[in-house]
Amino acid sequence: MAVSATALPAGVRGIHALPSDHHDGPWDAIITPPGVKERLLGTVVLRLLHGRRLATLSGPLHGLVVLAGPPGTGKTTLARGVAQAAAMAVAAHGATTLVEVDPHAFPSDMLGESQRNVSRLMNDTIPELAARRPHTIVVIDEVESFAVRRSTASFETNPVDVHRATDAVLAGIDAVAAAQPRLAFVVTTNFVDALDEAFVSRADLFVELTLPDMVTRAQIVARSIAELALHWPELIALAQDMELHDLLAKRTEGWDGRRVAKIALGAIAGDPATAVNPSLLDAGRLEGHLDGFGEVLRSTGSRSGAANGEDE
Ligand SMILES: Nc1ncnc2c1ncn2[C@@H]1O[C@H](COP(=O)(O)OP(=O)(O)OP(=O)(O)O)[C@@H](O)[C@H]1O
Ligand SMILES: [Mg+2]
């Protein structure tokens, strides 16, 4: 159950009790290379269930997972998804609170103000929320807006406050990790290079998501059409046409997952008659839709394909 916006503490954009049916979906939606989701889920579950025992180890868990990668590669969706998946895995031991932090809530233009706000969030708000249920997962999306790398933040262009806020985040994570062994932070970022080294080195798991390869793109296309077929069953044949999915995947080299997932909707929206009746969508419209992206394909395709030798 989500709490209404007016009741949310400063810096928090959502509080949810998990597991909850309407949080099903995101975890299954994102297609990752084998083993990635297992590691992600395992790390969070280990922390939630055994954080207290493991705190006595010489290299204790920090309860911090970082999901990094280019835009549209599923980071935010995975962060929310792992919260529900982990909540289900630990449900026999109690419920989980998902706290979604709003990293843009603390503009750092007022000296000291942002640091104080971050400290309050870490020292007061999160521990209070963590007291509600046995397990807590705190998702900080686009964490770089908090944890800007101190060594590159210039004092001319970045106020001292940015450094102080970063320090406050680091100190906060340490304090929360020590005091709340059944709490895990899951953070996402587009800019690994902007992240503070001390922040990254605290991560129990660092997952770098990449642009989807050809096989993954074909699966994303298949899934997106299958979702439409739930509403327009005439599309089931298209959803099962693996040759077509492969063809579309071949033609979208260098695209991120979000763009690939939108191909079918784009093809429907591209034609008013199909928009009125989406069951008119066919292979020709899907391929035709890509024709409009010739230039984009050429400019982005050279980047990813040549660099990792995939899809050639
Ligand atoms: N690997 C993938 N498998 C399936 N769908 C994907 C994948 N990557 C992206 N998508 C699709 O793109 C949508 C957007 O992904 P999401 O917002 O989680 O990406 P993001 O990495 O957080 O992007 P940003 O950095 O721009 O915030 C997802 O809901 C999904 O439909
Ligand atoms: Mg995101």
Side-chain angles (χ1 to χ4, degrees):
M1 189 187 64
V3 175
S4 74
T6 49
L8 293 172
V12 173
R13 73 173 161 211
I15 303 171
H16 314 266
L18 299 184
S20 161
D21 289 353
H22 71 268
H23 284 258
D24 276 343
W27 184 242
D28 295 325
I30 301 299
I31 299 154
T32 59
V36 169
K37 281 198 205 172
E38 286 80 359
R39 247 190 339 267
L40 176 57
L41 179 57
T43 305
V44 175
V45 167
L46 180 68
R47 168 74 183 177
L48 295 185
L49 280 187
H50 304 298
R52 198 176 302 278
R53 266 181 252 189
L54 298 177
T56 58
L57 302 185
S58 53
L61 290 175
H62 267 95
L64 172 65
V65 171
V66 180
L67 305 178
T73 48
K75 301 177 300 292
T76 301
T77 315
L78 267 186
R80 295 200 181 120
V82 76
Q84 165 78 349
M88 284 167 64
V90 304
H93 303 270
T96 299
T97 303
L98 164 62
V99 181
E100 292 183 288
V101 169
D102 180 1
H104 303 292
F106 304 133
S108 51
D109 50 354
M110 283 162 68
L111 198 67
E113 187 63 21
S114 148
Q115 179 204 0
R116 273 194 298 279
N117 284 331
V118 172
S119 295
R120 195 175 311 126
L121 177 76
M122 290 290 177
N123 299 331
D124 304 332
T125 310
I126 290 178
E128 276 163 29
L129 292 171
R132 289 188 181 182
R133 298 188 181 84
H135 315 105
T136 308
I137 297 176
V138 181
V139 170
I140 310 180
D141 208 9
E142 299 171 28
V143 73
E144 63 276 357
S145 25
F146 264 170
V148 178
R149 186 198 277 261
R150 285 170 296 184
S151 59
T152 54
S154 124
F155 282 85
E156 283 93 50
T157 53
N158 295 276
V160 173
D161 208 23
V162 168
H163 298 252
R164 292 207 178 129
T166 307
D167 285 336
V169 174
L170 292 175
I173 284 189
D174 278 342
V176 172
Q180 314 280 345
R182 306 226 288 183
L183 177 149
F185 286 96
V186 180
V187 309
T188 81
T189 179
N190 284 338
F191 303 104
V192 182
D193 293 344
L195 271 192
D196 198 282
E197 296 92 338
F199 192 85
V200 173
S201 86
R202 275 166 174 73
D204 301 325
L205 178 68
F206 190 91
V207 179
E208 197 150 1
L209 295 159
T210 54
L211 292 176
D213 63 13
M214 203 173 92
V215 173
T216 307
R217 293 197 301 276
Q219 291 173 338
I220 296 173
V221 168
R223 195 187 155 87
S224 64
I225 303 176
E227 282 176 356
L228 291 170
L230 292 177
H231 300 282
W232 294 279
E234 297 87 346
L235 299 179
I236 284 174
L238 270 192
Q240 293 172 343
D241 185 347
M242 289 170 68
E243 244 171 69
L244 172 68
H245 309 156
D246 286 346
L247 185 78
L248 295 172
K250 258 196 199 102
R251 293 189 53 192
T252 50
E253 191 184 324
W255 287 35
D256 64 56
R258 182 188 283 128
R259 284 186 71 201
V260 175
K262 282 187 178 164
I263 293 172
L265 271 186
I268 290 173
D271 171 50
T274 315
V276 170
N277 179 9
S279 50
L280 294 177
L281 182 67
D282 58 18
R285 281 188 177 81
L286 282 164
E287 285 183 58
H289 177 65
L290 292 190
D291 291 342
F293 291 107
E295 284 312 309
V296 180
L297 276 176
R298 267 190 290 283
S299 61
T300 55
S302 57
R303 223 180 26 201
S304 81
N308 57 22
E310 278 180 301
D311 298 353
E312 298 296 346

